[in-house]
Amino acid sequence: VQLQASGGGLVQAGGSLRLSCAASGRTFSSYAMGWFRQAPGKEREFVAAISWSGGSTYYEDSLKGRFTISRDNAKNTLYLQMNSLKFEDTAVYYCAATRGASWTPGAMNYWGKGTLVTVSS
């Protein structure tokens, strides 16, 4: 499966952005999907994940309540709604797919190119 993230940009602190991840192929619905981010000088970290059906979601604890992951299998698209953005949310955001049940970066099978989110303070 090929993935392409989009929707990043410059936003003021307190604002919102919605990221999208378009997937090619007819097997999108068979993959669990995740969002990760990597800030300058830092390692890539887990943000959120969603099961293949969309019935289960998982979040990095500090992001619960501000970020919402969702998917539309009919459109082969993954989303990340980000609200109340903070300066420290500035990073390149990546979408990824896995057939496993682990959300570590090393466990993901496919990665999209990232989209840059910059939050101004």
Side-chain angles (χ1 to χ4, degrees):
V1 61
Q2 292 184 324
L3 306 172
Q4 179 63 58
S6 63
L10 175 63
V11 62
Q12 288 188 331
S16 298
L17 278 177
R18 188 176 80 156
L19 305 183
S20 298
C21 175
S24 64
R26 293 177 288 179
T27 60
F28 174 74
S29 60
S30 67
Y31 288 91
M33 300 293 297
W35 286 100
F36 295 77
R37 67 184 183 183
Q38 188 166 15
K42 296 187 177 181
E43 294 187 353
R44 194 168 298 189
E45 63 178 7
F46 171 75
V47 171
I50 188 167
S51 62
W52 65 269
S53 67
S56 298
T57 56
Y58 312 87
Y59 296 92
E60 200 284 324
D61 286 345
S62 66
L63 301 176
K64 290 178 181 177
R66 294 197 299 122
F67 287 16
T68 303
I69 189 171
S70 61
R71 67 190 296 165
D72 186 336
N73 285 343
K75 296 182 178 179
N76 278 10
T77 304
L78 173 74
Y79 302 100
L80 184 68
Q81 178 67 42
M82 305 185 295
N83 298 328
S84 302
L85 283 162
K86 303 176 181 180
F87 175 75
E88 51 265 39
D89 294 320
T90 295
V92 178
Y93 284 71
Y94 299 88
C95 56
T98 180
R99 282 198 164 138
S102 173
W103 308 121
T104 60
M108 307 309 283
N109 300 114
Y110 300 97
W111 289 91
K113 292 183 179 180
T115 185
L116 176 63
V117 173
T118 303
V119 183
S120 62
S121 58

